[in-house]
Amino acid sequence: MPAQRRPVKRSRRSGHAHNPLGLARGRGEKEADRRDFDLRDGLEEEEGGRARLVYPFETAPAAGAAVDVAPGVKWMRMPLGGPLAFINVWALEDGDGWAIVDTGMQTPATSAAWNQVFAGALEGRPVTRVFVTHMHPDHVGMAGWITRKFDCRLWITRLEYLMCRVMAADTGRATPEDGLRFYRAAGWDRAALDTYEARFGGFGRNLHALPDSYRRMVDGEEISIGDRIWRVVVGSGHSPEHACLYCPDLNLMISGDQVLPRISSNVSVFPTEPDADPLDDWLTSLAAIKPRVPADVLVLPAHNDPFHGLHTRLDHLIGGHERGLSRLRVRIAEPKRAIDVFGVLFKRAIGPDLLGMATGEALAHLNCLIHRGQATRETDAHGVHWYRAA
Ligand SMILES: [Zn+2]
């Protein structure tokens, strides 16, 4: 049966997590319609988070163009819309052609940019394979299109591949009761639940169908790309099995969303696994990068610009979450719902546009406290969860 589009409620949202203030307006109705899924890459940080990082490139590539960041490594950007308008994607020389890392979201503007890149910066040489760091639509969105266009393989970790297919399969389904129960328990009102219902299933509309088979990437695996070795460094918490690629020879790390210089990657609990502790996964995997990748590596992140200062940034990210957990413990001296604790975790006001991401992140912190034995949870007669410091 063909997937039925659910009616999508219009709202004053940009539809993209990198545009939390919702500054970009005036997009055509049709495009706004397909952007109804919150990409959940992260909330932007304040200036303080940038301290002591060095950005060696003065100019970023325009859409459809490329900048050489190392021998045989090209930096390109695909349009997303909004003030933080791009995702960085990378081309690695691979014999006669190019291995691509990350692909952009499924939109006509992205295919136009790719066609320009293929004919221009990539000199008409074929794509040999497509690596995807993780399942979010701005990363995986064009993977099916590129792999079919060049008849090449998708390289991705197993959990990212499978989770992506599961989430894409929600498109066209009715909103499940588990999802409504989850957000009701967090304290959402009827209007917020109605919006969730209206938007449910949007994920699959932001990506081309994945290929039906893939090449699995495994943590620690060494992959030859051209005449270089790239090592797979898996992280978790932002997405289930996120692959970074580290090349010791070039001292480069393609970090995807695992390490971003100016954005704190979103770490959220979702309705499919309400008791998950992704923040523990996140903190553990950030700490695990340090002994595996040297401090002087050039980091090639999915958003913002390439930077030096990996270990500084890892410390900053871990410290930020730990301080958030401490403030949260104080805040829940008296019982609170998930929606009551945004003030101690986020600097900005949380409006309807950010409610989903903020709730997911708040629950990630609350679940982490529960797993550490520092908080307890009780459910009231209305099915709402109340958290209290233990
Ligand atoms: Zn992401």
Side-chain angles (χ1 to χ4, degrees):
M1 199 170 101
Q4 289 279 310
R5 285 290 295 272
R6 296 176 64 80
V8 175
K9 273 195 186 157
R10 299 282 165 240
S11 69
R12 288 179 54 79
R13 74 199 301 276
S14 70
H16 196 277
H18 296 136
N19 182 16
L21 299 177
L23 297 173
R25 300 293 175 224
R27 194 181 282 133
E29 195 65 351
K30 208 173 169 189
E31 192 173 359
D33 188 285
R34 72 159 52 249
R35 301 289 183 115
D36 57 357
F37 173 71
D38 191 356
L39 288 175
R40 301 174 185 281
D41 271 354
L43 293 166
E44 206 178 354
E45 274 194 351
E46 287 185 344
E47 290 285 330
R50 309 180 192 183
R52 295 166 60 201
L53 303 182
V54 175
Y55 300 90
F57 293 93
E58 277 175 17
T59 315
V67 165
D68 290 306
V69 293
V73 179
K74 288 183 186 295
W75 171 22
M76 301 163 296
R77 300 195 300 176
M78 294 294 146
L80 293 173
L84 276 165
F86 299 98
I87 176 168
N88 299 321
V89 300
W90 315 94
L92 312 177
E93 203 157 29
D94 191 18
D96 294 336
W98 300 97
I100 299 297
V101 186
D102 282 341
T103 68
M105 192 156 57
Q106 193 260 106
T107 67
T110 313
S111 21
W114 271 120
N115 282 328
Q116 210 179 327
V117 160
F118 292 145
L122 301 186
E123 301 160 344
R125 291 154 64 185
V127 173
T128 54
R129 39 193 161 162
V130 174
F131 292 89
V132 168
T133 57
H134 68 295
M135 55 168 280
H136 292 159
D138 48 337
H139 301 259
V140 78
M142 300 298 286
W145 181 79
I146 300 174
T147 52
R148 283 187 281 275
K149 187 180 176 75
F150 290 94
D151 192 22
C152 63
R153 303 300 301 275
L154 169 64
W155 291 54
I156 189 170
T157 65
R158 182 182 279 168
L159 278 181
E160 298 294 333
Y161 179 81
L162 294 177
M163 187 63 88
C164 187
R165 290 198 55 173
V166 165
M167 286 197 63
D170 274 344
T171 300
R173 287 184 62 215
T175 314
E177 179 53 33
D178 289 41
L180 292 166
R181 187 187 303 122
F182 176 83
Y183 288 114
R184 208 181 291 126
W188 283 22
D189 61 18
R190 189 64 250 169
L193 293 171
D194 285 349
T195 304
Y196 169 66
E197 276 205 88
R199 290 180 184 160
F200 181 80
F203 182 92
R205 288 192 280 275
N206 290 302
L207 51 115
H208 286 279
L210 288 187
D212 290 304
S213 66
Y214 70 104
R215 165 58 159 84
R216 182 185 179 193
M217 283 196 284
V218 179
D219 188 32
E221 180 180 6
E222 299 200 326
I223 300 169
S224 294
I225 303 173
D227 53 3
R228 312 280 183 194
I229 297 289
W230 292 76
R231 196 173 294 151
V232 179
V233 177
V234 163
S236 183
H238 173 69
S239 66
E241 195 184 358
H242 180 297
C244 302
L245 291 171
Y246 164 53
C247 179
D249 195 14
L250 294 171
N251 208 19
L252 288 180
M253 179 170 83
I254 297 174
S255 65
D257 285 346
Q258 182 74 26
V259 188
L260 298 172
R262 295 176 180 173
I263 298 170
S264 59
S265 307
N266 177 43
V267 176
S268 273
V269 177
F270 294 104
T272 37
E273 197 183 336
D275 296 317
D277 184 3
L279 188 54
D280 183 64
D281 296 337
W282 182 243
L283 295 171
T284 304
S285 63
L286 288 179
I289 291 172
K290 254 175 127 167
R292 298 178 68 182
V293 184
D296 63 352
V297 74
L298 176 65
V299 183
L300 308 180
H303 305 287
N304 315 133
D305 289 356
F307 70 98
H308 288 290
L310 173 67
H311 290 197
T312 301
R313 184 60 180 151
L314 292 170
D315 290 342
H316 181 91
L317 289 169
I318 292 168
H321 285 292
E322 290 294 350
R323 285 189 292 278
L325 288 166
S326 300
R327 291 193 302 270
L328 186 57
R329 280 182 80 185
V330 174
R331 175 80 177 133
I332 60 172
E334 296 297 321
K336 296 286 185 299
R337 302 165 299 179
I339 58 163
D340 299 326
V341 302
F342 295 160
V344 296
L345 296 174
F346 311 113
K347 295 178 185 93
R348 76 188 74 246
I350 303 300
D353 293 358
L354 289 175
L355 182 62
M357 181 183 291
T359 300
E361 290 224 17
L363 288 168
H365 287 80
L366 290 163
N367 281 2
C368 185
L369 288 182
I370 291 175
H371 282 93
R372 290 181 178 186
Q374 296 173 340
T376 58
R377 187 183 83 189
E378 283 183 13
T379 308
D380 71 16
H382 305 288
V384 176
H385 291 154
W386 294 83
Y387 300 83
R388 185 207 290 263

